[in-house]
Amino acid sequence: MHIIGMVFDTSSRTLLWVDALKEIIAKMHVPLNGEPSNPVILHNLIGNSPRGIALDVCNSLIYWVNSNTTNPSIERSNLDGSDRTIVVKENLYEPLAVAIDHAQQKLYWIDDVEGIHFKIERSNLDGSDRELLVHNKHQQPVYLAVDSESMYWSDWVHSAIWTMPKHAKVGDYPTKFKSYYDSRRDADPAGIVTRDNVGKIDCAAILSIMEKRSNLSGPVVSRPLAETFNNLTTSTEESDLTTEISRNCLNDGHPNKTDGTCRCKPG
């Protein structure tokens, strides 16, 4: 095995990873107690050279890059492997890493362009409204992460972590955030993550904004647990409500597992 990226979905206790040697995405259930389940193959990507992987917490999706220079792409699927979709296909050379900006509902990726150049781009989660943020050279970017203000990526040429504001313009130059260069021993920084704060992601608010961007005809309502069941019960504990909400989202709505709300269908 050559594990080159992994994500963990806390709501379903599912660990997913990219194996660059077998060219697969695999997953396993990791319970709070007891032994993990046996790994199973989620996607067989032979010939596609899969690399980075990212988790879209609010929509329960995974994104990954296929870095085969003859057929590069960025794809996504549900956590169970269903609804596999190509998100970005055009104007890619060798995409290496991908990251999700949950607050802005944006997809970021690194493309190691032919020659000495590389790019960092972003788009909506469906690949629309694509933007070029960084077009620079003399780096070998490996992994990518974003927080509320900035982008960060690891680079093996300078043995460093670089950063730039998310509102950077093409032509702006990145700042060296951390150097691992040592004349006695070079270290190659690889995987990188960011943590914006200690709070949880407010998926209900984020998805409401996303629906409005889609120019839907009707309002989107996301009701908290207490409001959802206010007229149904006055004595049930919140833990019981959390169990109930998965069965009682009205009008074909579906539960947001991260914050215990019901998300209504469009319209």
Side-chain angles (χ1 to χ4, degrees), residues 36-48:
S37 67
N38 291 324
V40 297
I41 295 176
L42 188 72
H43 294 299
N44 190 330
L45 302 168
I46 300 298
N48 290 331

Side-chain angles (χ1 to χ4, degrees), residues 12-221:
S12 64
R13 305 290 306 173
T14 302
L15 178 68
L16 304 102
W17 66 91
V18 175
D19 185 335
L21 181 63
K22 298 179 181 177
E23 295 188 308
I24 61 171
I25 295 178
K27 70 172 184 175
M28 67 192 302
H29 180 64
V30 184
L32 284 170
N33 299 300
E35 294 294 318
S37 67
N38 291 324
V40 297
I41 295 176
L42 188 72
H43 294 299
N44 190 330
L45 302 168
I46 300 298
N48 290 331
S49 302
R51 290 291 299 266
I53 185 171
L55 173 66
D56 178 356
V57 174
C58 294
N59 296 295
S60 295
L61 298 169
I62 55 167
Y63 287 75
W64 69 92
V65 297
N66 297 311
S67 63
N68 187 325
T69 55
T70 61
N71 192 30
S73 64
I74 300 174
E75 295 191 66
R76 74 180 183 191
S77 77
N78 295 326
L79 298 182
D80 63 1
S82 62
D83 198 22
R84 179 177 167 183
T85 305
I86 294 177
V87 179
V88 180
K89 183 72 173 174
E90 303 298 326
N91 298 318
L92 291 175
Y93 183 75
E94 188 181 4
L96 299 177
V98 66
I100 301 293
D101 183 346
H102 290 94
Q104 298 297 319
Q105 289 288 278
K106 292 288 186 177
L107 172 69
Y108 285 71
W109 67 90
I110 290 174
D111 191 7
D112 192 8
V113 191
E114 187 173 13
I116 61 174
H117 290 80
F118 73 96
K119 294 179 181 179
I120 298 179
E121 298 185 70
R122 74 178 169 204
S123 70
N124 293 332
L125 295 179
D126 62 0
S128 60
D129 292 336
R130 185 171 171 177
E131 302 173 76
L132 176 62
L133 303 176
V134 179
H135 189 189
N136 221 304
K137 57 185 178 181
H138 299 310
Q139 291 188 27
Q140 186 181 347
V142 188
Y143 288 87
L144 175 69
V146 297
D147 63 13
S148 59
E149 301 293 336
S150 302
M151 307 171 282
Y152 306 83
W153 63 93
S154 49
D155 161 38
W156 284 353
V157 169
H158 298 88
S159 297
I161 305 296
W162 297 85
T163 184
M164 284 188 76
K166 291 194 295 189
H167 56 73
K169 304 180 296 296
V170 176
D172 291 349
Y173 199 78
T175 301
K176 191 176 290 186
F177 180 78
K178 173 74 174 177
S179 175
Y180 293 93
Y181 176 76
D182 189 311
S183 58
R184 296 165 297 173
R185 177 184 60 84
D186 284 344
D188 291 329
I192 179 171
V193 296
T194 60
R195 186 179 70 176
D196 281 327
N197 50 55
V198 295
K200 65 181 181 180
I201 298 168
D202 187 352
C203 288
I206 291 170
L207 293 173
S208 178
I209 293 172
M210 187 179 71
E211 297 286 8
K212 290 176 182 178
R213 288 177 182 171
S214 300
N215 298 317
L216 297 176
S217 57
V220 174
V221 181

